[in-house]
Amino acid sequence: MKKLFASILLVLLSFIGNAQILDPVSWKTSVEKKSDTEFVLVLDATIEHEWHMFSQFTPDEASLPTVIQYKNAKGNYTLVGKTKESPYKKVYSDIFEVDEYLFENKAQFRQTIKITNPKVTSAKVYIEYQVCKEACIQQDKTFDIKLPISSIEESKAEKSVVKDTLVKDTSEVIAVPLITDENRPVGLKSEEINQKLYGLNVSDVKQIQSTSDTKENEVITEKSSLWKIFGLGFIGGLLALLTPCVFPMIPLTVSFFTKSSGSSKSGGIGKALLYGAFILAVYLLLSVPFHLLDSVNPDILNEISTNVWLNIFFFVIFIFFAFSFFGYYELTLPSSWMNKTTQGENIGGVLGIFFMALTLALVSFSCTGPILGSLLAGSLTADGGAWQLTAGMAGFGFALGLPFALFAMFPNMMNSLPKSGGWLNTTKVILGFLELALAFKFLSNADLVKHWGILKIEPFLILWIIIFTGLALYLLGKIKFPHDSPIQKLSTFRIIFGVVTALFVGYLTSGFRVNEETKTFTPLSLLSGLAPPVGYSIFYPNDCPNNLNCFKDLKSGLAYAKEKNKPVLIDFSGYACVNCRKMEEHVWSKPEIDKILRNDVVLISLYVDDKKQLSEEEQLEVIKSDGGTRILENYGHKWAHFQTEFFKSNSQPFYVLFNPKTSEVLNTPVAYMPEASEYKTWLENGIKNFK
């Protein structure tokens, strides 16, 4: 039930834009015939009360103008003159300090066309516009306007018959039955279960007491990790500021606060500071449900993150987000939500300011939603948790609220802000390419956990090379998307960023270099935790990291270590564990570490997210660390229980140096340790204690 609740919550956060959408402009199209070859296309807009949209000719340094494109004009018809529009209203903008041209209640656009292809049946018209009230919404429509040409010949479509070919599945499926109340072993005590599963009892293992220095280092590492995630969330918030849904709201909102307070400058600053604080609070509240889940069951976020179908769901969602950023459709929240928050703004005082912050969060969802989805999904990793999600949300909300408070205190700084324009859409498209690339990380997670073998390192790198080649071509003006304005001249930013992206494509291709020592592809530092392990390969397959010798079973590994008289390195890992891949590819690959792992220890890698089902005799009911019970159904359950039962830890990576003969833990177990020198010292100290 708890898993179901978490999954439903994730679905709501990701798919919330599929309900009724806010659409304050309704359209009607018609055609006026001037001659047999000339027609007038007419677009009539009805605008809801208190809303307004902008003319095609409103100044560039003001709000976004209406843009109309005739998609199928080439080869079919020519435009006679420019698109005409009904009279607009000229209103001076205190924010942009220019006259803006806008329509209220209704607007009309007329374009005369001359037919050049007698077989054309319709005119495809695309219109993009900004409609505003307290907030602004970027919208677009495509109309397929039928042309009343009597001489049109209907084209005939050839029918093709596709024969279905039936392929017989000859693969053998072996079903392992789950334990039920009828066949579950009863009366087994924890000691008997542990002996049966692991060949050990908790009382047999001689633990090392953690020193105060070790505990202090663990706290520092955890805090450092949270600050890093806060920083990533902050960067995400800054990116959200540079989107068309948020950027135009900065001067509008700041001007409202500074002018609504009259001569009291401090009052306006106080309201703006409160507004920024409430923006931060709104995003922090989104992480609260995950703390409730984490307190009920410490393993639940790990189980959610490694759930195969949830990772596939995230893959589909990220593809959906990417094409939204590309401009093929918009994500908006239910209009009833925004109407209620807008009504709340009229309350006034502190509560009114809170509803203004909530309205901004809802209205900007089409741009912030995909970024928040990335933050949410990224935090739900095997080495993540609710506090990491809170840290990320805090960074995001802080970055989003900071400009409103900052510009209220120093209003002259707004003069240095760039004007709204096509660069805002360019930012969205760049984010779309990044969302598309990240989507395959989640498909890779599912593939690794289920061992499907469909997204090994080679196809993953090829897909990323294609995606970032597309981004480079877009930045250099070779590819266009629906909302892109015509490029008169490439900006310096686009040229520089395009060249950097092209260099990154070259970096990705270097991942196909073969390391002759490990007989694997060369790990790419920037892709640690994003790409599959280099050993998960079509051409250079290897079941163990860096082509090391390792065991995936505890009992057989311990028996081998006893025979060879070597200490054991127990590696609690996960197929979808980001920091595990970083350790394997950037610490274990160091020559001095690799030498120790190959010669001085026996490596036992236990994957806590392995979904391979256990045999019937091992599907036992065990007591969890919180006093509850669970049925061990797969190997991931088995190894996760071993880690929590014997070592009181449930995070990965987690490393234990162990004496197989005396069952003694040789030194204090450690978690993620990115400094190779520190990890080497830890290994050497444990091996010294074994000798």
Side-chain angles (χ1 to χ4, degrees), residues 289-579:
F290 293 92
H291 285 276
L292 300 177
L293 293 172
D294 214 12
S295 63
V296 172
N297 182 359
D299 293 334
I300 193 167
L301 293 182
N302 179 40
E303 293 179 11
I304 292 172
S305 70
T306 58
N307 181 279
V308 172
W309 301 113
L310 192 59
N311 273 280
I312 292 175
F313 171 76
F314 276 131
F315 166 70
V316 174
I317 284 296
F318 271 54
I319 297 291
F320 185 73
F321 282 158
F323 281 88
S324 169
F325 272 154
F326 289 153
Y328 292 107
Y329 42 78
E330 291 289 333
L331 296 176
T332 53
L333 288 169
S335 58
S336 58
W337 290 25
M338 282 176 273
N339 289 336
K340 288 180 180 178
T341 57
T342 303
Q343 292 171 6
E345 294 176 17
N346 299 324
I347 296 174
V350 174
L351 196 57
I353 295 174
F354 170 77
F355 278 107
M356 287 186 66
L358 186 58
T359 301
L360 173 72
L362 297 178
V363 169
S364 63
F365 178 80
S366 63
C367 295
T368 60
I371 300 174
L372 285 173
S374 306
L375 192 61
L376 174 65
S379 296
L380 293 178
T381 59
D383 52 333
W387 281 111
Q388 293 196 355
L389 179 60
T390 297
M393 288 294 186
F396 185 89
F398 183 72
L400 211 59
L402 182 63
F404 295 96
L406 193 63
F407 288 123
M409 290 188 288
F410 307 101
N412 291 334
M413 290 177 61
M414 282 197 294
N415 296 329
S416 62
L417 282 177
K419 302 298 182 182
S420 299
W423 66 271
L424 292 173
N425 188 67
T426 300
T427 303
K428 281 187 68 176
V429 173
I430 292 172
L431 291 174
F433 277 104
L434 297 179
E435 292 278 334
L436 191 60
L438 289 174
F440 290 98
K441 183 258 191 300
F442 295 100
L443 182 60
S444 174
N445 284 350
D447 181 50
L448 284 167
V449 170
K450 294 296 287 185
H451 311 290
W452 289 328
I454 60 175
L455 198 59
K456 295 189 176 183
I457 186 66
E458 293 91 345
F460 185 93
L461 287 177
I462 290 171
L463 285 168
W464 270 49
I465 288 170
I466 292 172
I467 291 169
F468 283 96
T469 299
L471 175 56
L473 292 174
Y474 170 75
L475 290 168
L476 297 175
K478 304 300 181 182
I479 298 176
K480 291 186 67 176
F481 287 92
H483 294 179
D484 285 327
S485 304
I487 300 175
Q488 305 297 331
K489 181 182 178 182
L490 285 176
S491 65
T492 303
F493 166 80
R494 290 188 71 145
I495 294 173
I496 293 175
F497 203 64
V499 172
V500 170
T501 305
L503 292 174
F504 181 67
V505 171
Y507 172 76
L508 290 174
T509 59
S510 71
F512 288 109
R513 292 178 297 134
V514 178
N515 186 322
E516 294 299 332
E517 293 183 3
T518 62
K519 299 300 179 183
T520 60
F521 287 120
T522 304
L524 299 177
S525 302
L526 296 180
L527 266 64
S528 291
L530 295 174
V534 290
Y536 191 55
S537 167
I538 297 172
F539 299 108
Y540 297 94
N542 181 32
D543 198 36
C544 297
N546 303 330
N547 208 24
L548 293 166
N549 294 319
C550 73
F551 289 85
K552 298 293 182 68
D553 177 71
L554 181 67
K555 289 182 180 179
S556 57
L558 290 175
Y560 180 82
K562 286 180 182 179
E563 179 186 340
K564 298 297 182 181
N565 193 31
K566 288 184 177 182
V568 166
L569 174 61
I570 303 176
D571 163 35
F572 290 101
S573 185
Y575 291 110
C577 170
V578 174
N579 284 342

Side-chain angles (χ1 to χ4, degrees), residues 26-47:
S26 58
W27 292 89
K28 181 181 178 181
T29 62
S30 59
V31 179
E32 297 176 3
K33 184 175 181 179
K34 297 182 69 175
S35 69
D36 288 340
T37 58
E38 283 195 356
F39 301 89
V40 180
L41 307 178
V42 183
L43 285 76
D44 287 296
T46 302
I47 308 168

Side-chain angles (χ1 to χ4, degrees), residues 121-141:
T121 60
S122 64
K124 192 171 184 179
V125 183
Y126 170 81
I127 182 167
E128 179 185 3
Y129 55 95
Q130 190 178 62
V131 57
C132 299
K133 192 166 69 170
E134 289 90 352
C136 293
I137 303 172
Q138 190 77 5
Q139 292 195 305
D140 63 271
K141 304 285 183 182

Side-chain angles (χ1 to χ4, degrees), residues 192-199 555 618 620 622 632 638:
E192 295 173 314
I193 291 175
N194 289 334
Q195 190 66 41
K196 183 180 182 68
L197 293 174
Y198 314 116
K555 289 182 180 179
E618 288 193 330
L620 303 172
V622 297
L632 303 181
K638 177 181 178 179

